[in-house]
Amino acid sequence: MLLLVILALLLIGNWFLTESLIFTPVNLAIHFTSFSWWVLALLLIAFVSWCISDD
């Protein structure tokens, strides 16, 4: 019985560490990269419109 409890705790701990140390930062990096592309596109549009308005 104690062996089953230890195995269950190890599996839960392994899942928690994998989720928190690997998947969460990767998901955040994917979302941040996607967000940064939108910001870059908006800045590019703003710069082009500023250049056009100077003429």
Side-chain angles (χ1 to χ4, degrees):
M1 180 67 181
L2 183 61
L3 182 62
L4 292 176
V5 171
I6 291 171
L7 286 175
L9 289 174
L10 285 173
L11 285 173
I12 291 170
N14 187 23
W15 169 80
F16 179 74
L17 288 175
T18 302
E19 187 70 31
S20 63
L21 295 177
I22 295 173
F23 291 119
T24 303
V26 169
N27 288 336
L28 287 176
I30 289 170
H31 290 298
F32 182 72
T33 303
S34 175
F35 180 70
S36 66
W37 280 111
W38 281 106
V39 170
L40 186 62
L42 289 174
L43 287 175
L44 182 65
I45 290 170
F47 178 72
V48 169
S49 64
W50 176 70
C51 290
I52 291 172
S53 68
D54 275 350
D55 289 340

